[in-house]
Amino acid sequence: MRRLWLLLWLFVVPAVQAASGSWAADALGATLSHGGVSEQSPALRPPNVLTSDKARIVSVSWRYLLTSPPPAGLQVQLCMAGRCVPLAGASGTTLALQGAPAASELRFSYVVQTRGALFPPLRVLSNQVIVNYQ
């Protein structure tokens, strides 16, 4: 019986302490009208207060939607205070922000590496993230 309690304690208690979850947010996008000029999305924040300030990011899934195909030279990053991660496409998942506070606000950063006006301007319809944390 003592062994059973020990096993129960070893497996159940850590699971209770390590509360995990996720939050999702979306925002309107940005409009880029000139090459070489960086534009950021509005802040993406957790919709509710997280139950623990010790919660840390495990992974972040992202998606952004453009009104037209991406122009040559488009660079998109997902940023939080003091840290940005380059994104390889219009959607995906990254582990690069793992360990950062789960309540951090995120922003997309867009720039087209070219000179002069963009015609037509590049319009980002939406930005979305899903933050998984533990």
Side-chain angles (χ1 to χ4, degrees), residues 62 64 70 74-78 85-94 108:
W62 79 86
Y64 60 86
L74 175 64
Q75 295 178 349
V76 183
Q77 296 182 321
L78 185 59
V85 175
L87 303 179
S91 64
T93 300
T94 183
F108 285 82

Side-chain angles (χ1 to χ4, degrees), residues 40-116:
Q40 289 194 337
S41 71
L44 299 162
R45 298 181 182 94
N48 301 311
V49 175
L50 300 181
T51 56
S52 171
D53 23 332
K54 294 180 183 178
R56 296 290 179 241
I57 292 175
V58 173
S59 66
V60 179
S61 297
W62 79 86
R63 181 173 180 257
Y64 60 86
L65 183 61
L66 306 175
T67 58
S68 60
L74 175 64
Q75 295 178 349
V76 183
Q77 296 182 321
L78 185 59
C79 300
M80 63 185 349
R83 192 170 174 184
C84 289
V85 175
L87 303 179
S91 64
T93 300
T94 183
L95 302 175
L97 299 174
Q98 194 170 35
S104 299
E105 83 176 25
L106 300 169
R107 293 179 188 268
F108 285 82
S109 176
Y110 298 90
V111 66
V112 178
Q113 294 298 329
T114 188
R115 291 186 175 188

